[in-house]
Amino acid sequence: MVRILKKDTSDHRRGQLSAVETRLGYEFKDKSLLDAALTHPSVTDTKVVNYERLEFLGDRVLGLMVAENLIRSFPDVDEGELSQRLHGLVSRETCAEVAQALELGPVMRLAAGETRSGGRKNLSILGDACEAVIAALYLDGGKETVDRIILPYWLPRIKAGVRRAVLNPKSHLQEWAARQKLPAPEYEVVGREGPDHAPIFTMQLTLKGYEVLIAKGRSRQEAEKAAAVGFIERHGLDKP
């Protein structure tokens, strides 16, 4: 058994974790794994461990699961297209969609400042938490548990393919703007927080005639992509 959390004495927290277990359809043997998976790095309480290490593992577990099923689902597709599909399917945006389906945002353990800034709806945070929960399931129950519980959330996306808007949202948005005879979207860093080894960038996307959109990411590129995805989703530009 992998022990990550020193202890958890909160009845309220245990109730939150139990609700997540119900939505997952799985009861953890080591509930500290799930607690850590739902704890943001902004929490500095020495009694808890955040999701960073679990996210690292979950990213790899998810990639393997999706890659295996892409190979099975598309036997005639070449490596280049498989890689492109994989990239979109394991993107932070896709993970955030699954996190929203599992209602992870309301049970995330965040610092007060992160909560006030909208952390529970932040796509980057939700995507990280989803990957961390996948790792927690893997460590607690093995790959078979991950496939049984998590794969159903990805199979429809695998079968349907990946929208181009998710694969390359900045290009998708720029081409759409050109068709509307609008200037290209402008991206500007308006904030940076966190330590030098793990910064969080706040990006502002401006497009003439539309409300400014703010998004965050762990690099300038990730923040720009998150902003483009946010604009695309806000205005329904990913619809066929």
Side-chain angles (χ1 to χ4, degrees):
M1 182 178 294
V2 179
R3 193 67 184 170
I4 283 191
L5 187 64
K6 290 182 179 180
K7 65 176 181 177
D8 186 302
T9 59
S10 166
D11 289 340
H12 175 66
R13 185 59 175 170
R14 283 194 288 269
Q16 288 182 322
L17 298 180
S18 178
V20 175
E21 288 179 317
T22 298
R23 289 194 288 276
L24 289 170
Y26 178 80
E27 184 174 354
F28 279 79
K29 297 182 285 293
D30 183 358
K31 298 184 189 300
S32 70
L33 286 165
L34 180 58
D35 194 24
L38 297 172
T39 299
H40 187 260
S42 62
V43 177
T44 57
D45 186 339
T46 57
K47 294 181 180 179
V48 299
V49 174
N50 65 53
Y51 61 48
E52 289 179 314
R53 285 171 59 85
L54 287 172
E55 177 211 343
F56 170 81
L57 174 60
D59 177 62
R60 277 72 185 171
V61 175
L62 173 62
L64 175 60
M65 180 189 76
V66 173
E68 284 181 342
N69 282 275
L70 281 171
I71 288 288
R72 295 193 188 103
S73 299
F74 303 99
D76 300 322
V77 169
D78 64 26
E79 182 274 340
E81 185 174 340
L82 287 173
S83 295
Q84 188 178 46
R85 287 173 182 258
L86 176 67
H87 176 74
L89 287 162
V90 302
S91 70
R92 183 149 285 108
E93 293 75 32
T94 303
C95 291
E97 290 177 4
V98 175
Q100 290 167 335
L102 290 169
E103 300 178 40
L104 299 185
V107 298
M108 288 292 300
R109 195 199 297 260
L110 303 168
E114 196 68 53
T115 299
R116 287 194 296 271
S117 67
R120 298 188 189 283
K121 296 181 180 180
N122 182 284
L123 295 183
S124 180
I125 291 175
L126 289 173
D128 290 347
C130 180
E131 290 177 341
V133 167
I134 290 171
L137 287 166
Y138 175 78
L139 291 172
D140 199 72
K143 187 175 181 299
E144 296 79 7
T145 296
V146 174
D147 288 345
R148 176 174 61 81
I149 295 171
I150 298 299
L151 185 56
Y153 289 95
W154 258 269
L155 271 180
R157 294 169 167 85
I158 292 171
K159 298 294 185 182
V162 183
R163 300 187 306 269
R164 186 172 182 279
V166 173
L167 287 173
N168 199 333
K170 289 182 62 181
S171 294
H172 181 82
L173 178 56
Q174 185 164 332
E175 291 170 11
W176 175 84
R179 291 196 299 272
Q180 310 306 311
K181 302 189 183 307
L182 295 171
E186 296 181 359
Y187 301 87
E188 180 185 1
V189 176
V190 294
R192 174 176 170 158
E193 55 192 296
D196 289 340
H197 71 279
I200 298 294
F201 292 86
T202 301
M203 187 67 60
Q204 175 178 288
L205 187 160
T206 304
L207 184 58
K208 183 179 179 180
Y210 291 87
E211 183 181 352
V212 168
L213 188 140
I214 301 294
K216 292 187 177 185
R218 293 180 297 183
S219 67
R220 292 176 62 100
Q221 294 79 6
E222 184 177 292
E224 288 178 356
K225 183 177 178 181
V229 169
F231 188 98
I232 288 166
E233 292 182 344
R234 174 187 288 178
H235 296 287
L237 307 186
D238 55 347
K239 303 296 188 294

